[in-house]
Amino acid sequence: MAKTKFPSVFDIPKDIKSNGLRPIYYIFGEDTFSFDYAKSILEKVVNPKLASEFDKETFYGSKTSFAEIISAASTFPFGDGKKLLIVKNAEKPKDKEKLAEYANSPSDFTVLVFFHEGSITKPETEPFKTLNKLGEIFESKEMKGEALIEWIKSYAKENDKNIADENAQLLIDIVGENRSLIELQLEKIFLFLGDNKEISLESIHKLATELKQFNIFDLINAVGRKDKARALEIAFNLYDSGTEMVQIIAMLNRYCTALAKINELIAMKLSIQEAAGIVGTHQYYYKDYLDARKRYSDNEILNAFRALLNADLSIKTTSLDEKTVLTILIAEIIGD
């Protein structure tokens, strides 16, 4: 059976423009950042239609049944306007069939917004089948890769700024893939830029120095220079600042993979911009990759991959302290 596809939560503004307010918005998925986005969009549209502050309520599915929520949705508002009911943990109630019944004959004065954390395993069952048929269910997917870059560009454009793909990727590499954190850092960049429109490499560098004492690029540069003491200092700082061991391993693996490609790229005589794109770094940093490749032989890069594999296995299958694993990893990559 083909997997059911649902419209994205980011289609809600377009949907409102085309179809007006729907009586129900059932939003599900792993990306809770998008829950906040959808909530702000819907509140912006519905709040002016509320005649009383008592016509806006929040329910929690962990404490309330759908029957109780539907009863509240069916109760007339205090004034002549709309009611806005927000339901969090919508995945919790057991009496889900009640929502399908209500969806077929909803109150015209109530906007019901449900937030369901996680996936829907059986979309062909009720109430999801009915909600999907009525166009009232939206998915909130975790964004990665090109989709996340496009979101950053879109968010920048909404704030009258521009950012190139490579700079958006650089921002992700520094901040991580959490959109709440990315949004927070973009707001800082907007303030730094003032009236300037372009989010430049300079503005992202400034952000990187303010985020924390060290960032993953400092670690990569220290490893590239074979500065073991500095690399250990930075690695421990990153770990103590909350960077997960799996993330450190992933970034170092990506770095070693990039180094392994360098000689082939040199032979292809590509431009710096093209080569940097293939390696997965900003062209500003590509010269550092070239310098690092001169320090690491093919055999040393192969040994680095073995060390990364061993470190990954150690944190997943042994009780060895992660800082000990990190120390061994850095030592084995850089060597004597």
Side-chain angles (χ1 to χ4, degrees):
M1 182 180 292
K3 186 178 179 181
T4 304
K5 292 185 178 181
F6 299 98
S8 167
V9 64
F10 291 98
D11 291 331
I12 289 177
K14 181 173 62 177
D15 183 74
I16 292 173
K17 188 174 181 180
S18 300
N19 303 301
L21 268 173
R22 295 184 181 276
I24 297 173
Y25 291 88
Y26 197 99
I27 300 160
F28 78 96
E30 307 291 342
D31 185 11
T32 54
F33 173 86
S34 296
F35 289 2
D36 294 333
Y37 166 82
K39 183 172 178 286
S40 66
I41 290 293
L42 290 166
E43 284 180 333
K44 186 176 180 180
V45 176
V46 181
N47 281 349
K49 302 178 185 297
L50 304 179
S52 168
E53 62 182 40
F54 296 108
D55 289 328
K56 182 177 180 180
E57 293 183 77
T58 299
F59 297 89
Y60 292 86
S62 53
K63 300 177 181 178
T64 315
S65 67
F66 275 137
E68 293 171 293
I69 294 164
I70 289 165
S71 177
S74 302
T75 304
F76 286 102
F78 284 90
D80 296 329
K82 291 277 191 183
K83 291 180 69 173
L84 175 60
L85 305 186
I86 295 170
V87 183
K88 298 182 178 181
N89 306 126
E91 71 281 1
K92 298 291 186 182
K94 303 297 184 184
D95 57 339
K96 290 181 169 56
E97 71 284 351
K98 297 290 184 183
L99 181 55
E101 295 171 11
Y102 174 81
N104 283 314
S105 184
S107 302
D108 59 4
F109 47 75
T110 298
V111 177
L112 256 174
V113 183
F114 294 90
F115 292 108
H116 172 135
E117 294 188 19
S119 60
I120 293 174
T121 55
K122 295 182 178 179
E124 71 280 1
T125 61
E126 296 294 1
F128 313 117
K129 181 178 178 181
T130 295
L131 292 171
N132 189 33
K133 180 181 177 181
L134 296 170
E136 296 173 344
I137 188 165
F138 299 84
E139 186 171 7
S140 174
K141 288 183 178 179
E142 286 279 6
M143 282 192 175
K144 296 182 181 296
E146 291 183 7
L148 188 55
I149 289 174
E150 287 303 315
W151 175 80
I152 291 173
K153 290 166 64 178
S154 175
Y155 188 82
K157 190 173 182 180
E158 288 174 12
N159 288 272
D160 200 28
K161 307 295 182 186
N162 299 308
I163 184 169
D165 286 20
E166 59 184 5
N167 285 340
Q169 181 62 61
L170 180 60
L171 183 62
I172 294 168
D173 290 340
I174 292 172
V175 179
E177 294 182 330
N178 184 298
R179 277 192 284 163
S180 295
L181 291 177
I182 293 174
E183 182 181 33
L184 178 64
Q185 304 312 325
L186 281 170
E187 292 295 337
K188 291 181 181 180
I189 290 176
F190 297 157
L191 289 174
F192 171 72
L193 288 176
D195 294 332
N196 292 330
K197 304 293 185 185
E198 193 69 28
I199 298 177
S200 62
L201 184 63
E202 178 191 2
S203 60
I204 296 175
H205 271 290
K206 180 175 174 61
L207 166 68
T209 60
E210 292 179 351
L211 270 177
K212 49 192 172 184
Q213 186 176 352
F214 296 115
N215 61 64
I216 197 70
F217 292 102
D218 295 313
L219 175 58
I220 284 172
N221 287 335
V223 169
R225 295 193 304 272
K226 290 193 171 183
D227 187 339
K228 189 184 297 182
R230 182 67 169 167
L232 284 170
E233 177 190 3
I234 296 168
F236 289 159
N237 178 271
L238 286 170
Y239 184 81
D240 292 338
S241 298
T243 304
E244 294 184 2
M245 185 66 182
V246 289
Q247 184 181 354
I248 295 173
I249 291 174
M251 289 299 293
L252 286 172
N253 185 70
R254 178 178 166 183
Y255 180 62
C256 290
T257 301
L259 292 186
K261 295 178 180 177
I262 293 294
N263 287 346
E264 182 180 352
L265 295 176
I266 292 173
M268 292 170 67
K269 297 183 179 180
L270 300 175
S271 68
I272 291 177
Q273 185 174 1
E274 289 174 315
I278 293 172
V279 163
T281 189
H282 194 286
Q283 57 183 332
Y284 177 86
Y285 292 109
Y286 186 64
K287 64 180 184 301
D288 296 326
Y289 282 67
L290 293 173
D291 289 339
R293 188 62 177 91
K294 295 173 184 176
R295 298 187 185 96
Y296 283 88
S297 67
D298 291 345
N299 193 50
E300 286 174 319
I301 292 175
L302 182 60
N303 287 336
F305 283 125
R306 290 196 188 101
L308 287 161
L309 176 60
N310 290 336
D312 187 54
L313 290 173
S314 292
I315 63 172
K316 292 176 180 177
T317 62
T318 73
S319 58
L320 200 61
D321 177 73
E322 287 193 348
K323 269 197 171 180
T324 301
V325 175
L326 186 55
T327 302
I328 295 170
L329 173 62
I330 298 298
E332 290 185 343
I333 289 177
I334 294 177
D336 297 328

